[in-house]
């Protein structure tokens, strides 16, 4: 069984027990979350599609930890002009575990 759910503006395919990295969410570690924007549920071949969301469907999750992602280097250069800029970025992430899919 899996579901497609919208979390923090992004869509994820989730299953029970799977761990997902999302953009930073509110809450402390071990806090329970409920996502009610379920777009699709597949229950052993029986597919239910929402228009745009399924009424009464939800996904329960638990926050495992807050962390920062890999460092990304941004380098800009204009040739023959002496213009060089080096910048970096690390995205704030939240690791969540999917506990239950209710539909």
């Amino acid at each position: 069984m899996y579901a497609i759910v919208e979390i923090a503006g992004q869509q994820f395919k989730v299953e029970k027990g799977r761990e997902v990295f999302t953009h930073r969410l509110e809450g402390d570690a071990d806090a329970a979350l409920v996502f009610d924007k379920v777009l699709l549920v597949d229950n052993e071949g029986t597919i239910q599609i929402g228009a745009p969301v399924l009424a009464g469907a939800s996904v329960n999750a638990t926050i495992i930890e807050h962390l920062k992602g890999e460092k990304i280097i941004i380098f800009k250069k204009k040739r023959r002009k002496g213009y060089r800029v080096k910048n970096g970025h690390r995205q704030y992430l939240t690791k969540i575990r999917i506990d239950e899919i209710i539909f």
Side-chain angles (χ1 to χ4, degrees):
M1 171 196 279
Y2 71 87
I4 299 194
V5 62
E6 184 176 328
I7 302 171
Q10 294 181 318
Q11 295 177 5
F12 294 94
K13 179 181 176 182
V14 296
E15 298 175 4
K16 183 177 179 180
R18 177 174 281 186
E19 296 177 351
V20 179
F21 291 96
T22 66
H23 290 300
R24 183 63 60 100
L25 299 173
E26 296 290 325
D28 297 326
D30 296 329
L33 300 172
V34 177
F35 303 110
D36 56 352
K37 291 187 177 181
V38 179
L39 306 173
L40 180 139
V41 173
D42 181 5
N43 188 11
E44 288 103 29
T46 305
I47 298 175
Q48 296 178 347
I49 300 173
V53 296
L54 286 172
S58 64
V59 173
N60 296 337
T62 305
I63 295 176
I64 297 175
E65 64 178 333
H66 296 292
L67 57 129
K68 291 171 75 174
E70 292 283 322
K71 184 151 190 164
I72 298 171
I73 304 297
I74 297 100
F75 185 74
K76 299 178 183 179
K77 180 181 177 182
K78 294 186 180 176
R79 63 184 191 157
R80 297 187 302 267
K81 305 296 181 199
Y83 175 78
R84 294 185 302 173
V85 174
K86 182 178 178 183
N87 200 352
H89 175 75
R90 289 185 74 182
Q91 184 70 37
Y92 291 105
L93 300 173
T94 299
K95 185 177 181 181
I96 62 172
R97 181 181 58 245
I98 305 301
D99 296 327
E100 187 177 16
I101 299 172
I102 301 169
F103 66 97

